[in-house]
Amino acid sequence: MYRAKLVYFGFKKPQACYHALKRGNPMDNAAVLKEAILAKLNAGEWRPGHRIATERALSESFGIGRSAVRRVLAELKQAGIITQTVGSGTFVSDSFTPSPAAAGGSNVSPYELMEARLAIEIAIVEMIIRNASQSDFAQMALCCDKAEAATSMEEFERWDGQLHECMARAAHNALVDQVFALIKQGRAQDDWGALKRDSLTPERRQAYQVEHRQIVNALRDRDLARATEATRAHLLRVRHNLLGI
């Protein structure tokens, strides 16, 4: 039912959203709602002046209360992304433009994405070791826990991506954050998803989980040589499994 509603209200690629919704956590579903709206906006599918579904429709579609929907919309309104008019509805703001990171993340080939990840994720290891807090390391460990406990490949892939995003945030550098927004857009593309689904066997998933733990442990120990090598080895394995090179 949720899948049908997501498609009906314009969320035509609901895979990630659908798996989050099935868990039934209202807080998760509110986050999914916000991400889904932002994805439509940043992809250019909803342009300035586009009318967004009603609070009631969004509430039913995403399985959350009206108050949670209002909070999400209030956040977007405060950010200048949407406007609301009593009696008329909710619209994309005339002043909204997609972020450069979102616009630039489209049409990137899996080969280009892996090339960039190898260059960038290895390069920021030193920044993470220098700048990361204990809270950052705890978030990384939580992502590992969630990935290892995932009951589906889709859920595992979501926490895999979250782990790499946590690492990027742990560098505490605004430019790195922008670059990783581009990488996230690339990972969201259909061809990347198809390659990941086709290549992610249970054995490879287990290997990735071990490698993730090795990376996180080395970062937490602030061991530059070990963390750099573990990150390089992991990304090379991912590239080989995806692209055969």
Side-chain angles (χ1 to χ4, degrees):
M1 181 176 69
Y2 281 138
R3 182 189 295 272
K5 289 180 179 178
L6 284 167
V7 173
Y8 179 78
F9 288 113
F11 300 99
K12 297 180 181 179
K13 294 169 62 179
Q15 278 290 344
C17 295
Y18 178 64
H19 288 289
L21 289 171
K22 289 204 307 183
R23 290 192 297 274
N25 186 322
M27 291 184 66
D28 284 348
N29 292 357
V32 169
L33 168 60
K34 186 174 182 178
E35 288 183 12
I37 292 174
L38 290 173
K40 291 302 235 182
L41 294 169
N42 284 324
E45 296 181 43
W46 289 359
R47 299 186 179 278
H50 175 89
R51 185 172 185 171
I52 297 173
T54 64
E55 289 181 3
R56 177 179 179 180
L58 293 172
S59 172
E60 293 177 353
S61 179
F62 286 83
I64 55 178
R66 295 276 292 273
S67 60
V69 172
R70 281 193 289 271
R71 283 197 299 273
V72 170
L73 295 179
E75 290 175 10
L76 296 174
K77 182 178 179 179
Q78 185 174 8
I81 294 172
I82 64 170
T83 60
Q84 293 178 302
T85 304
V86 177
S88 297
T90 302
F91 300 86
V92 178
S93 172
D94 289 339
S95 62
F96 174 80
T97 55
S99 69
S106 60
N107 300 319
V108 176
S109 72
Y111 176 79
E112 291 172 321
L113 180 58
M114 281 309 309
E115 266 197 324
R117 289 187 64 189
L118 274 161
I120 297 163
E121 294 189 39
I122 293 171
I124 67 169
V125 166
E126 184 175 359
M127 297 172 64
I128 297 170
I129 288 175
R130 184 172 63 249
N131 299 328
S133 67
Q134 290 304 310
S135 176
D136 292 323
F137 295 133
Q139 285 297 313
M140 294 178 204
L142 176 63
C143 289
C144 289
D145 292 341
K146 294 288 189 179
E148 290 164 7
T151 57
S152 68
M153 290 299 189
E154 291 85 357
E155 188 179 2
F156 168 79
E157 169 65 8
R158 185 168 72 88
W159 286 108
D160 180 340
Q162 283 284 90
L163 173 61
H164 288 276
E165 289 178 42
C166 282
M167 293 177 186
R169 288 195 298 271
H172 294 283
N173 182 288
L175 184 57
V176 169
D177 289 341
Q178 293 180 35
V179 170
F180 267 79
L182 287 169
I183 290 175
K184 183 176 181 179
Q185 289 290 319
R187 288 175 65 113
Q189 292 178 178
D190 286 346
D191 48 1
W192 175 270
L195 279 174
K196 199 65 180 287
R197 286 191 298 273
D198 292 343
S199 70
L200 189 58
T201 64
E203 294 75 21
R204 287 174 176 172
R205 169 182 167 175
Q206 180 62 36
Y208 291 161
Q209 289 173 179
V210 171
E211 291 166 359
H212 287 162
R213 286 290 184 184
Q214 291 172 341
I215 294 169
V216 171
N217 289 341
L219 290 171
R220 186 190 57 215
D221 294 342
R222 303 193 191 271
D223 186 326
L224 178 59
R226 186 156 55 97
T228 300
E229 182 53 37
T231 302
R232 178 184 290 108
H234 172 64
L235 292 173
L236 288 173
R237 182 191 291 270
V238 172
R239 185 180 70 176
H240 176 75
N241 289 344
L242 287 175
L243 307 175
I245 57 176

